[in-house]
Amino acid sequence: MATGSSPARDRAKLLFANETFYRAFAERDVTLMSAVWAEEEPVTCLHPGWPPVEGRDSVLQSWHAILTGPASPDIECLHARAGIHRDTGIVICYERIGQDYLIATNIFIRSGDGWLLVHHQSGAAPEPGEGNAPPRRSIN
């Protein structure tokens, strides 16, 4: 844990980093998308239906294609849950794209006083219902 931080504050910063990732996606902001990904660590991405994308340049090229393409989807992040394991943060959430739902895992590393993304993976999921929706609290 960073000096002077509490677990609740660390979780809030991790969830903020996750929200920033989804804001970049929703607003089709290529510059912001680039800023959320780590530069000094290996990064990977598993887009639904794509082969694995490895390396920062390739990952950012994949996001550029998605964000600037004619079929760039509208997205909403739902039910984000965060867990922190030393300097690694994991956020699991649902993504709503139109009427479809995906479930995503976003892995971050601590960077200074914040968090940077090193891995994103999403895949098909059933619609979260009242009985099976994850709680809106953080996990640890």
Side-chain angles (χ1 to χ4, degrees):
M1 184 177 349
T3 305
S5 290
S6 68
R9 183 176 163 106
D10 273 352
R11 243 182 253 108
K13 288 181 180 183
L14 176 57
L15 287 169
F16 179 78
N18 192 67
E19 289 170 18
T20 302
F21 167 70
Y22 284 102
R23 189 175 82 229
F25 195 163
E27 296 176 2
R28 295 161 177 80
D29 188 332
V30 174
T31 302
L32 183 57
M33 182 61 77
S34 177
V36 301
W37 286 88
E39 293 185 37
E40 304 297 322
E41 300 293 330
V43 299
T44 52
C45 192
L46 297 174
H47 299 292
W50 291 39
V53 182
E54 300 179 66
R56 190 170 197 279
D57 289 343
S58 295
V59 166
L60 293 180
Q61 286 172 6
S62 74
W63 283 109
H64 185 274
I66 291 168
L67 300 179
T68 62
S72 183
D74 291 327
I75 188 164
E76 182 181 8
C77 175
L78 304 166
H79 306 297
R81 298 182 296 160
I84 297 174
H85 312 276
R86 293 192 175 94
D87 289 334
T88 301
I90 300 171
V91 178
I92 298 171
C93 59
Y94 283 89
E95 299 173 343
R96 180 171 42 210
I97 298 177
Q99 298 301 312
D100 296 322
Y101 288 86
L102 302 173
I103 192 147
T105 302
N106 298 315
I107 301 175
F108 296 81
I109 57 167
R110 190 184 308 276
S111 177
D113 198 31
W115 297 90
L116 292 171
L117 195 56
V118 292
H119 180 77
H120 168 76
Q121 178 175 356
S122 64
E127 177 178 346
E130 289 296 318
N132 63 0
R136 291 182 182 242
R137 62 177 175 79
S138 298
I139 58 171
N140 202 3

